[in-house]
Amino acid sequence: MHENRETSETPTAQPGRRSAGEGQSHKARVYVYEESHSGILPMNHSNKDGTSPTESGEERPLIKENARQPNTYPTQSGKGVSQGLADVRKAARENKETKFTALLHHLTVDLLRESFYSLKRKAAPGVDGVTWQGYEDGLEDRLTDLHGRVHRGAYRATPSRRVYIEKEDGRQRPLAVPALEDKLVQQAVVTILNQIYEEDFLGFSYGFRPGRSQHQALDALSYALLKKKVNYVLDADIRGFFDNLDKSWLVQFVEHRVADPRILRLIQKWLNAGVMEEGEWSNTKTGSPQGSVVSPLLANIYLHYAFDLWVDVWRKKCAQGEVVVVRYADDSAP
């Protein structure tokens, strides 16, 4: 197994640049308000903490698909992140105990614009009926208004439109279709939080992460099966994971690293917005809507604390012999 080899170059600080606004410890509660910078910085790093030699790729060369990893950490649309977000990632990498108390100021009009153009243009509209093409008409005024509402606390999350798709076994999978502005703000927040959690997530986590794919997870699994002395293979899938994860525990997990109350309130708004089905609103007491932009990251945060850290300690201290782990979202193969 292996993880992606990622590198980073941090340019020297320029006069007049401000700090990332991170707290100094778990008890830090100083809220700093500042503007993000517009510089672009390469951002990819490896997650070597907690991975075995096979997971870090030290025992073999990478296969063709993984041999040329980009040396930048792009947003979803392929552009680099701002200098302010680069500072956030640097602080997250240097201190795993840091709680970030000032993050929302990184949600700028520029980031909202970048997030808008990263969305799927032909995606189905939510309950508001607004399409990507419709929102692009008068985009700058719309983004300025949305930015103001988010920062003064006037932004309200809209219930997601519930739809169903048929699974291979004939069952129906419920999906949530968020309103366009909700997707837009969620994408911006995901870009910000990725700077922190891409430094925390372990190497055997492959699902819904920038620069990682199901092909790399399969490659890691096949290498372990072919090159290791395998006695047992355990294929595990958490039934109804997205619909049943505990919201209160999820928020507590996020609070290990995020102490900006405005970011936390945004996450809670999305978790509590509910769904609309045939004109009827219903509250979702558990889970994070599958289909929303923010749900994959929240799911990875939940499983990082509930599964990844536990299994990594267990295999080192309790297991007899070597245990190789591959996790893609809620599917895992230890």
Side-chain angles (χ1 to χ4, degrees):
M1 294 176 58
H2 68 278
E3 66 170 338
N4 297 327
R5 290 295 189 176
E6 302 171 331
T7 59
S8 171
E9 292 183 12
T10 304
T12 55
Q14 298 181 12
R17 292 200 185 277
R18 301 183 183 181
S19 65
E22 72 276 3
Q24 298 301 315
S25 69
H26 281 288
K27 296 182 180 179
R29 288 294 185 273
V30 179
Y31 300 100
V32 182
Y33 299 90
E34 63 209 85
E35 294 297 325
S36 299
H37 301 287
S38 59
I40 303 301
L41 176 72
M43 287 299 295
N44 261 1
H45 311 278
S46 61
N47 304 357
K48 291 185 179 179
D49 295 340
T51 58
S52 68
T54 52
E55 286 162 356
S56 63
E58 295 173 0
E59 295 186 359
R60 71 181 182 99
L62 297 177
I63 63 170
K64 179 180 179 180
E65 288 76 10
N66 297 338
R68 296 183 179 178
Q69 291 300 325
N71 60 358
T72 58
Y73 182 81
T75 57
Q76 189 171 347
S77 65
K79 296 184 180 180
V81 299
S82 70
Q83 177 62 50
L85 290 181
D87 291 341
V88 170
R89 181 144 187 175
K90 183 174 183 291
R93 180 171 65 254
E94 292 178 347
N95 188 348
K96 299 298 184 180
E97 301 298 317
T98 295
K99 278 193 172 184
F100 291 84
T101 58
L103 291 172
L104 190 67
H105 65 277
H106 294 293
L107 197 154
T108 62
V109 173
D110 288 339
L111 181 57
L112 287 173
R113 185 185 306 107
E114 173 73 13
S115 301
F116 174 75
Y117 283 107
S118 73
L119 298 177
K120 294 181 179 179
R121 305 187 179 196
K122 296 183 179 180
V127 295
D128 59 350
V130 177
T131 63
W132 189 95
Q133 289 77 12
Y135 200 85
E136 189 183 27
D137 184 20
L139 178 64
E140 293 305 316
D141 290 338
R142 292 177 186 271
L143 294 180
T144 300
D145 175 68
L146 177 59
H147 175 266
R149 282 185 280 128
V150 169
H151 280 267
R152 67 175 182 267
Y155 162 78
R156 296 290 181 267
T158 306
S160 297
R161 182 168 62 88
R162 173 64 56 82
V163 297
Y164 294 88
I165 61 173
E166 187 172 346
K167 300 175 68 173
E168 292 181 357
D169 59 5
R171 292 183 298 168
Q172 297 288 314
R173 180 194 299 275
L175 291 180
V177 181
L180 190 135
E181 280 197 341
D182 291 330
K183 290 191 287 186
L184 184 51
V185 179
Q186 287 179 22
Q187 180 59 52
V189 170
V190 166
T191 299
I192 295 170
L193 295 183
N194 269 341
Q195 312 312 311
I196 300 171
Y197 289 106
E198 281 302 302
E199 293 298 331
D200 289 356
F201 291 156
L202 301 188
F204 56 74
S205 170
Y206 287 88
F208 308 123
R209 294 179 58 188
R212 289 177 172 244
S213 69
Q214 65 270 35
H215 301 293
Q216 293 166 335
L218 291 171
D219 172 59
L221 181 59
S222 65
Y223 178 75
L225 293 174
L226 293 173
K227 300 296 184 179
K228 295 294 181 180
K229 295 180 179 180
V230 179
N231 293 324
Y232 301 97
V233 176
L234 174 62
D235 180 16
D237 174 32
I238 302 175
R239 180 181 300 173
F241 170 70
F242 282 91
D243 296 327
N244 294 294
L245 62 83
D246 189 292
K247 294 181 183 179
S248 62
W249 273 109
L250 173 58
V251 173
Q252 290 182 61
F253 291 150
V254 174
E255 287 175 341
H256 283 310
R257 286 294 244 165
V258 178
D260 187 332
R262 300 164 300 170
I263 294 290
L264 294 172
R265 280 197 294 269
L266 284 175
I267 293 174
Q268 290 172 322
K269 285 180 180 180
W270 295 324
L271 290 175
N272 298 321
V275 297
M276 292 288 291
E277 185 174 357
E278 296 181 353
E280 296 290 331
W281 177 85
S282 62
N283 185 25
T284 51
K285 296 182 179 180
T286 61
S288 180
Q290 190 170 358
S292 72
V293 175
V294 75
S295 286
L297 174 61
L298 295 180
N300 270 335
I301 294 172
Y302 195 101
L303 288 171
H304 173 72
Y305 289 102
F307 178 78
D308 293 358
L309 295 180
W310 164 77
V311 76
D312 190 52
V313 171
W314 176 85
R315 67 178 179 176
K316 292 176 179 178
K317 295 186 176 181
C318 304
Q320 297 181 358
E322 184 178 8
V323 177
V324 176
V325 183
V326 178
R327 180 176 69 79
Y328 191 91
D330 60 329
D331 296 289
S332 60

